[in-house]
Amino acid sequence: MELRQLSYFVTVAEELHFGRAAERLHIVQSAVSQQIRRLERELGRELFDRSSRHVRLTASGERLLPEAREVLAAAERARAAVRERSTLRLGTSNGLGEHLDRVLDVFARLAPDTAVELTSAPARERLAQVADGRLDAAFVRAPEPVPGLRAVPLWQDPLVVALPAAHPLARHEEIALSELAALPLCITERRSNPALVDLVVGACHAAGFEPVPGPVGGSLQNTLAAIGTGSLWTVVYAAHARALHTPRVAFRPVRAPGLSLSTALVVAAEHPPASVELLLRACSVDPEPI
């Protein structure tokens, strides 16, 4: 049994999809499948129930998952024990924009000898990696409570509407959500960002309409390109929107009370590394929304 196999197993268990797991691991899907099969042969048990429509953990897989996470965490602790800790492993979230730049600039002044290793992953994966020690801290929006972790509130992230620059609504300084009822909404799958999807869909319901479903998935760049060529809309974090240059897309604030999500820094509840305390100090500089 290899650490690599356990790492692949945990990733597939978290994604319940071999293709998405391969994307996260930055390897081809066949390599993931091959290593999982080898692990199953060695253990003499099938770990996943595979079909053309879904991937699920078997009972053996359910039992192995917490043990595999503990082995990977122990391996990381062993590595840390024999090296001088000089790297802060930080999980990031889409759309942090100027917030992330500001925090990293201040942290660099507070801890000039500490490198920062950034990891991008879905929110639930960031939480899991902080819990098992693979990350020292992670930015998470509207995090749910997790045993052993502490969420330190940082700031509110306002959201703006992105819509075609040629649409009549783009001439308005701000937009009421009810004015978007006829336009399809392009938004990520709920499993990828439940806090964001629940906020936006709930706000649409409060405004008196069920959003028309638009294309799902894809990168923000592709979504904005689609919006620029058609009658679609989405939401973007204001801090991120200011850094985007898309002449065919207009970004407009939502009429009061607006839309926003709280961002927190999630850390271990007990004995976080000293670098995490410096990171919290960096986050506290200019804590108001940018």
Side-chain angles (χ1 to χ4, degrees):
M1 185 184 306
E2 301 176 7
L3 290 177
R4 176 182 58 172
Q5 293 171 335
L6 292 180
S7 177
Y8 290 5
F9 164 72
V10 169
T11 304
V12 175
E14 290 170 348
E15 291 293 337
L16 294 179
H17 192 284
F18 279 80
R20 290 195 296 268
E23 289 177 5
R24 269 182 49 195
L25 293 164
H26 304 293
I27 58 176
V28 296
Q29 182 175 335
S30 60
V32 177
S33 300
Q34 183 183 57
Q35 291 300 323
I36 294 297
R37 286 295 189 193
R38 288 180 178 176
L39 181 61
E40 289 176 324
R41 286 197 297 270
E42 182 173 344
L43 295 175
R45 293 288 187 276
E46 287 196 351
L47 302 174
F48 294 100
D49 175 17
R50 306 163 175 86
S51 77
S52 60
R53 300 184 62 182
H54 67 256
V55 174
R56 295 175 182 167
L57 282 166
T58 63
S60 296
E62 293 279 6
R63 292 193 296 271
L64 177 61
L65 183 57
E67 302 297 335
R69 283 174 168 156
E70 179 56 33
V71 170
L72 292 173
E76 181 55 38
R77 290 194 296 269
R79 295 187 190 99
V82 296
R83 70 174 182 241
E84 182 179 353
R85 191 179 184 87
S86 59
T87 300
L88 173 72
R89 299 163 301 169
L90 178 61
T92 63
S93 176
N94 290 333
L96 287 173
E98 298 162 343
H99 289 299
L100 182 60
D101 291 336
R102 171 177 54 81
V103 169
L104 294 180
D105 284 345
V106 177
F107 182 78
R109 295 197 295 270
L110 294 175
D113 296 327
T114 301
V116 179
E117 180 182 295
L118 301 179
T119 296
S120 177
R124 57 190 172 87
E125 168 62 8
R126 274 174 271 145
L127 291 172
Q129 291 194 27
V130 175
D132 65 23
R134 285 177 285 166
L135 288 177
D136 300 312
F139 292 109
V140 181
R141 292 189 178 91
E144 297 180 356
V146 176
L149 299 183
R150 175 169 62 106
V152 182
L154 298 178
W155 55 69
Q156 288 292 123
D157 268 324
L159 290 156
V160 295
V161 168
L163 75 164
H167 195 281
L169 287 174
R171 295 196 292 267
H172 298 185
E173 291 188 4
E174 58 182 17
I175 293 175
L177 284 182
S178 59
E179 297 175 304
L180 300 166
L183 298 183
L185 168 63
C186 296
I187 197 165
T188 186
E189 294 178 296
R190 187 181 182 279
R191 66 174 184 81
S192 299
N193 197 334
L196 175 66
V197 174
D198 289 349
L199 173 69
V200 175
V201 174
C204 291
H205 291 166
F209 71 98
E210 180 71 31
V212 179
V216 176
S219 66
L220 177 60
Q221 180 180 1
N222 289 344
T223 297
L224 294 178
I227 289 173
T229 59
S231 294
L232 306 167
W233 70 284
T234 190
V235 291
V236 179
Y237 294 104
H240 191 193
R242 284 190 286 271
L244 298 173
H245 301 285
T246 53
R248 294 187 300 157
V249 177
F251 300 100
R252 297 292 181 267
V254 179
R255 190 165 298 159
L259 297 174
S260 68
L261 282 175
S262 60
T263 295
L265 188 71
V266 176
V267 302
E270 297 183 0
H271 311 302
S275 57
V276 168
E277 295 303 321
L278 293 176
L279 179 63
L280 284 169
R281 285 176 55 189
C283 291
S284 70
V285 175
D286 187 19
E288 295 300 321
I290 296 173

